[in-house]
Amino acid sequence: MNGYYVPVGVESIEPDLFPDVALYLRSGGNYVLYKSHGRNFSKQDAVRLMANSIDFLYVSPSDMEVITKYLEENAERLLQSDQFDGRTKGKIIYQTSINFVGDIFQNPKKVGDIDRSKKLMENLLLYLSSDRDALSSLETVMTHNYYTFVHSLQVTALSVLMHAEAYSLAHDELVDVGVGTLLHDFGKTFTPQQILNKTGKLTEDEIAIIKRHPEEGYLYLKENTRLNEISLAIVRDHHERVNGNGYPRGLKRTEISRSAQVGGLCDVYCTLTIDRTGGKALPPYLTIQVMRQEMKDAFDARLLDILEGLTCTEETQQLVL
């Protein structure tokens, strides 16, 4: 995240309570100072910005640590407040989550703070359980940040909802699922940036390096955190496939934990439905068809049905018929 200004949703900026940092407007590729250090963000600021359809202000990377701390300490209170609607709460949990993931990817040693991870999952579960349209609320703000962080949050939210639909899990196990899926790509912190950011075709050697990320993430987290086997299995096995054509171990069917199967399914779905390259992302109903037909037998059929039920409306399903 170094060198990049970070968006903060206007609706998550509490007037007179938000940390005293400089806030910027984005104009084209430039960032223009809106509020300098030493001036409170007021209710009038919020009203004026929203009246002009400005949903985000931007913060310098040097100020992100104080912003992240503020949001994590106040997220539960904000999510339980009656003054915010579901869409606004979606922006709050989105902002808190991507700040967390960005911080972890920038500073891998911080991943050992398991209590921080679990608190974030508690807040995400609180949000998802309080609003039946929670996932769609999150999706409305998914295009405003860095791909890896947005992707991690989307996979997490969808995986938690799928687990709730497919299995009768205790609350603590859902928290473990959420932590594992949020960190499923943690191993990419050890992959060279020039490979991750490459827009052209990868070489065989580069593909081999990328394919090491599940095992590398697993080994680091196993040694340096108190994550349990549910979370660790998601990190290690989210690229395994029930037909045995996945990696890093080529596991099949029941050899892959159910949570890793769900995490892998959501990982592919979210990859196809987020526009990363400037091309058009696939709509949900078409993504499901691609996963059924072009990735035949890669995923459990029952889980695919559940995913379709969660992500495709009746209207979009009719378009497939």
Side-chain angles (χ1 to χ4, degrees), residues 13 23 46 80-81 83 99 108 111 120 127 132 162 167 175-176 178 209 235 284:
I13 303 176
L23 296 171
Q80 291 179 330
S81 172
Q83 74 179 91
N99 289 352
V111 78
L120 175 60
Y127 170 65
R132 63 184 301 273
M162 277 201 64
Y167 309 112
V175 171
D176 293 331
I209 291 172
V235 175

Side-chain angles (χ1 to χ4, degrees), residues 111 183-191 210-225 227 231-232 234-238:
V111 78
L183 297 174
H184 75 279
D185 272 340
F186 179 78
K188 287 184 177 179
T189 60
F190 310 113
T191 304
I210 285 183
K211 284 188 173 182
R212 293 206 298 257
H213 81 268
E215 189 72 19
E216 290 179 337
Y218 165 79
L219 291 173
Y220 185 95
L221 293 170
K222 185 175 179 63
E223 183 175 344
N224 293 282
T225 74
L227 293 181
S231 301
L232 290 172
I234 295 171
V235 175
R236 190 182 201 181
D237 297 333
H238 67 278

Side-chain angles (χ1 to χ4, degrees), residues 10 13 63 75 93 140 158 178 210 291:
V10 170
I13 303 176
D63 288 324
I93 194 64
T140 63
L158 188 55
I210 285 183
M291 294 173 74

Side-chain angles (χ1 to χ4, degrees), residues 95-108:
Q95 190 70 57
T96 307
S97 301
I98 59 174
N99 289 352
F100 169 87
V101 179
D103 193 21
I104 294 299
F105 273 63
Q106 190 66 37
N107 305 284

Side-chain angles (χ1 to χ4, degrees), residues 4-6 21-24 58-65 67:
Y4 293 93
Y5 284 72
V6 181
V21 299
L23 296 171
Y24 297 81
Y58 292 80
V59 176
S60 166
S62 61
D63 288 324
M64 276 313 298
E65 187 168 350
I67 298 300

Side-chain angles (χ1 to χ4, degrees), residues 294-307:
E294 297 183 25
M295 304 176 188
K296 190 173 177 61
D297 299 325
F299 307 105
D300 180 87
R302 172 175 173 264
L303 293 178
L304 266 174
D305 289 342
I306 292 172
L307 177 63

